[in-house]
Amino acid sequence: MGRKLLFDKAHIENIRYYDVYRANGGYGSAEKALKSMTPDQVLDEVKKSGLRGRGGAGFPTGMKWSFIAKPEGVPRYLVCNADESEPGTFKDRYLMEFIPHLLIEGLLISSYTLGANTCYIYIRGEYAWIPDILEEAIADAKKNGWLGKNIMGSGFDLEIYVQRGAGAYICGEETALIESLEGKRGNPRIKPPFPAVKGLYDCPTVVNNVETLATVVPILRIGGEEYAKYGTGKSTGTKLISACGNINKPGVYEIEMNISVEEFIYSDEYCGGIANGKRLKACIPGGSSVPILPANLLLKTAKGEPRMMTYESLADGGFATGTMLGSGGFIVLDEDQCIVKNTLTFARFYHHESCGQCSPCREGTGWMERVLKNIENGKGKMSDIDLLWDIQRKIEGNTICPLGDAAAWPVAAAIRHFRDEFEWHVLHPEEAQKRNFGLAHYADPLEIAAPAAV
Amino acid sequence: MFSEEKLNKVKEIIARYPQGRQKSALIPVLHLAQGEFGGWLSTETMDYVASLLQIKPIEVYEVATFYSMFNLQPVGKHVFEVCQTGPCMLRGSDNIIDYIKKKLDIGVGETTKDGLFTLKAVECLGACGYAPMMQLGKHYKEHLTPEKVDAIIEECRANAN
């Protein structure tokens, strides 16, 4: 069994309630921080831990925190990003539903470190039943002296509020989230200024993902140095992976970042192999916006080394032969799945979710969706494949926020690695309506390490 | 108009934000209004919300039109929002949508003649591991099969009587 830091007590019955959480050592890290550490000492531990943002970008959390501006007399805010909307990702939902106090404790320690007296949890609107769970946890924490004024005699005050979104993927982007929290459309802001200087209500603000903030709890419990001994290299600690698609055991798993992709997919401890005895065709390991890889490149890098579940190994080879750990939304496709159709659903998703501010994204996402729909419906032309490539290149890097990149990468990777499947759709439109391209050569052992032709 | 109880809820929500930042309460209050006033936001409802928060009506319209959870047209009593994005598609969401269409004799985006059901095909709801799935009111219905859909429809009909 892999070592666990977040889910180590997840199996305990009723751990979602304050008394049970507390009786099992809960709020011990908060107590340690408030009673025996200065905010800077907590920050040091987080820096030492090597924790990287778990929302997708993987930016070092300690460094992000150290950027927060501290002008006199200006309030600072901590905002917890619970907007979890990246297709394939449902890990934060699990954490909030089943161990809400772990998040509340993490918010308390993080707010103390940042000197924030107000914290907002911005949760996607569709998770409509979770605010009740969180608000109950907040009320119980407050009743027991962990929130409110002068917490545990430390002189530190904190209030936590839950805010529901209303169905907009873009609000997972931190500046769009801040706009939404201010009661506006979720249009991302131009950076700089960064939220650490000018965020919510123009005040210094840190926005972190749910898992990131919850992870502060075990970091303080075992110490930053000890935490950094988990995992591999710069991928320290554990990561929540939400596994879905054509596998035997979809669900949320906490992994130590030292296991191979192959072990994660095939071992009974995790995904339990491909469902219905099928073979693995492709995988999108970090949420829909990261590049899709065919089975052969997923399990081994282009150098022939086993691919590991770490930030570095998954990215090995760049976008030519690698992908990203992203949010940990691990989507598995079996041999019967159609890459064109799968890519179409994501193109449609990004078209639907584009906020419309930047024309490359607003126009390009819809254009890609229409072209892909034509190919999928047997009305595609060979030139459409190059057209798709051209559109995605013109979106990438040309937008205010990363949604443009997120929309471009899945299309680019699908063409890069599965071009012959697209061509087959164009050349055999009638056959493609009746059957799928199948596994083809996508699981064959790799002979070359050359980058793709396009 | 909100009841006394709901007006107190609005006050409680506004108190979460600093003085003068009551516009932050807009999305939560729109959720409240949609729940109270028939499952959708009419222009009158939006104007009422604007007056409660002391903001201009246009500030409400621009938010209500941006977020996909706000309905700007009347919907059925029970709205089936079936996820159709990649991970759900891989586990057969297309079949579920087709099944519901046939069963209720409506297309995507339509409401049954009796006003009981609306079918929507929506984008990722964050339940990818429990696919195929749909949102029904406040909750998720997961691991859908035609049999499960039948049972859900029956349950909704029973509640309507």
Side-chain angles (χ1 to χ4, degrees), chain A residues 83 122-129 164-168, chain B residues 31 69 135:
Chain A
D83 193 53
Y122 183 97
I123 184 166
R124 68 176 299 173
E126 293 91 341
Y127 286 173
W129 68 99
R164 259 178 88 197
Chain B
H31 276 304
M69 287 182 79
Q135 179 144 36

Side-chain angles (χ1 to χ4, degrees), chain A residues 77 84-90 93-94 118 120 122 124-129 132 135 161-168 170-171 176 179-187 200-202 243-248 250-252 275 331-334 337-338 341-343 345-346 348-349 352-356, chain B residues 9 12-32 34 55 58-70 81 83-95 97 121-131 133 135 137-143:
Chain A
Y77 293 100
E84 187 161 72
S85 306
E86 173 86 5
T89 316
F90 48 100
R93 166 190 167 182
Y94 185 94
T118 310
Y120 295 100
Y122 183 97
R124 68 176 299 173
E126 293 91 341
Y127 286 173
W129 68 99
D132 296 344
E135 279 170 354
Y161 302 107
V162 184
Q163 175 98 339
R164 259 178 88 197
I170 190 62
C171 291
E179 286 283 302
S180 181
L181 196 45
E182 292 183 358
K184 300 181 226 159
R185 294 165 76 92
N187 288 346
L200 182 62
Y201 311 128
D202 288 340
C244 60
N246 310 118
I247 46 175
N248 278 318
V252 182
I331 310 166
V332 177
L333 284 74
D334 72 25
Q337 302 303 332
C338 170
K341 184 161 190 196
N342 188 63
T343 311
T345 75
F346 292 137
R348 187 187 60 217
F349 174 84
H352 183 260
E353 301 300 341
S354 173
C355 81
Chain B
K9 183 75 194 168
E12 184 198 313
I13 294 170
I14 292 174
R16 296 171 186 172
Y17 316 102
Q19 200 93 50
R21 298 291 186 174
Q22 76 279 1
K23 189 176 170 180
S24 278
L26 180 52
I27 292 173
V29 174
L30 283 176
H31 276 304
L32 207 60
Q34 182 160 286
I55 56 178
I58 183 70
E59 294 178 84
V60 181
Y61 307 159
E62 60 181 22
V63 162
T65 53
F66 184 85
Y67 296 92
S68 58
M69 287 182 79
F70 296 130
E81 300 181 271
C83 176
Q84 57 173 348
T85 315
C88 274
M89 182 275 291
L90 296 175
R91 313 264 315 187
S93 59
D94 288 359
N95 298 338
I97 293 172
V122 300
E123 300 299 347
C124 188
L125 295 175
C128 320
Y130 324 108
M133 61 77 63
Q135 179 144 36
K138 197 173 174 178
H139 293 279
Y140 283 1
K141 302 284 181 188
E142 298 170 332
H143 300 294

Side-chain angles (χ1 to χ4, degrees), chain A residues 121-143:
Chain A
I121 302 173
Y122 183 97
I123 184 166
R124 68 176 299 173
E126 293 91 341
Y127 286 173
W129 68 99
I130 300 181
D132 296 344
I133 297 172
L134 292 172
E135 279 170 354
E136 186 188 335
I138 289 167
D140 286 341
K142 197 165 182 175
K143 222 184 298 165

Side-chain angles (χ1 to χ4, degrees), chain A residues 370-385:
Chain A
R370 289 191 297 276
V371 174
L372 279 161
K373 205 179 255 172
N374 276 342
I375 299 175
E376 162 70 9
N377 290 339
K379 292 174 195 148
K381 301 189 288 279
M382 254 345 194
S383 59
D384 283 343
I385 303 170

Side-chain angles (χ1 to χ4, degrees), chain A residues 166-199:
Chain A
Y169 168 76
I170 190 62
C171 291
E173 194 280 334
E174 60 178 5
T175 60
L177 189 157
I178 290 170
E179 286 283 302
S180 181
L181 196 45
E182 292 183 358
K184 300 181 226 159
R185 294 165 76 92
N187 288 346
R189 297 176 179 173
I190 293 173
K191 297 191 256 191
F194 288 90
V197 177
K198 212 173 171 187

